[in-house]
Amino acid sequence: QVQLVESGGALVQAGGSLRLRCAASGRTNSSLLMGWFRQAPGKEREFVAGISWSGANTYYVNSYKGRFTISRDNAKNTVYLQMNNLKPEDTAVYYCAATWRVLITTTWEEYSYWGQGTQVTVSS
């Protein structure tokens, strides 16, 4: 089993930045592929970014490229999501997820482990 705990969500003004953190525990010595998703009120959960276990490969939804950066520190069992130039439409609960898959997937059903989420609110 893998446990994920997100942190770093906050209320921020448009144009600001936040760094989300996802700490993993449990069976973390294996090759976990990690992803960040988000879910706004009344909307479906959507993929934001993913990173391979080594960190060598990343994938972003086009609308987040250039603004969001996913990274990981395997020595600390932690994945990060740096979010810059935040917009009100980025307001959502952000979830960290993990899967044993080798290739990055954008489908939330293919992730086996989830954190509880962290709220990001961007004011205009």
Side-chain angles (χ1 to χ4, degrees):
Q1 286 294 325
V2 176
Q3 294 78 43
L4 304 173
V5 178
E6 303 98 332
S7 61
L11 170 64
V12 63
Q13 288 189 334
S17 297
L18 283 175
R19 189 190 196 199
L20 304 184
R21 179 179 179 269
C22 173
S25 61
R27 189 183 168 191
T28 57
N29 60 342
S30 299
S31 303
L32 279 172
L33 187 152
M34 304 295 292
W36 283 98
F37 288 75
R38 73 184 197 182
Q39 188 165 18
K43 295 188 177 181
E44 294 187 353
R45 189 172 302 187
E46 62 174 354
F47 176 84
V48 175
I51 188 166
S52 61
W53 73 270
S54 68
N57 297 306
T58 58
Y59 181 79
Y60 301 87
V61 171
N62 283 338
S63 54
Y64 308 125
K65 285 182 179 178
R67 293 197 302 129
F68 292 4
T69 303
I70 188 171
S71 62
R72 67 190 298 164
D73 183 342
N74 286 341
K76 297 181 178 179
N77 293 324
T78 301
V79 177
Y80 304 94
L81 183 68
Q82 177 68 42
M83 305 187 295
N84 298 326
N85 190 24
L86 284 162
K87 305 174 182 180
E89 51 264 41
D90 293 319
T91 295
V93 177
Y94 284 73
Y95 296 92
C96 174
T99 177
W100 301 115
R101 294 179 61 88
V102 175
L103 298 179
I104 296 173
T105 175
T106 64
T107 306
W108 70 267
E109 294 93 338
E110 294 179 343
Y111 287 79
S112 302
Y113 307 102
W114 292 84
Q116 81 289 350
T118 186
Q119 177 70 49
V120 172
T121 303
V122 184
S123 63
S124 56

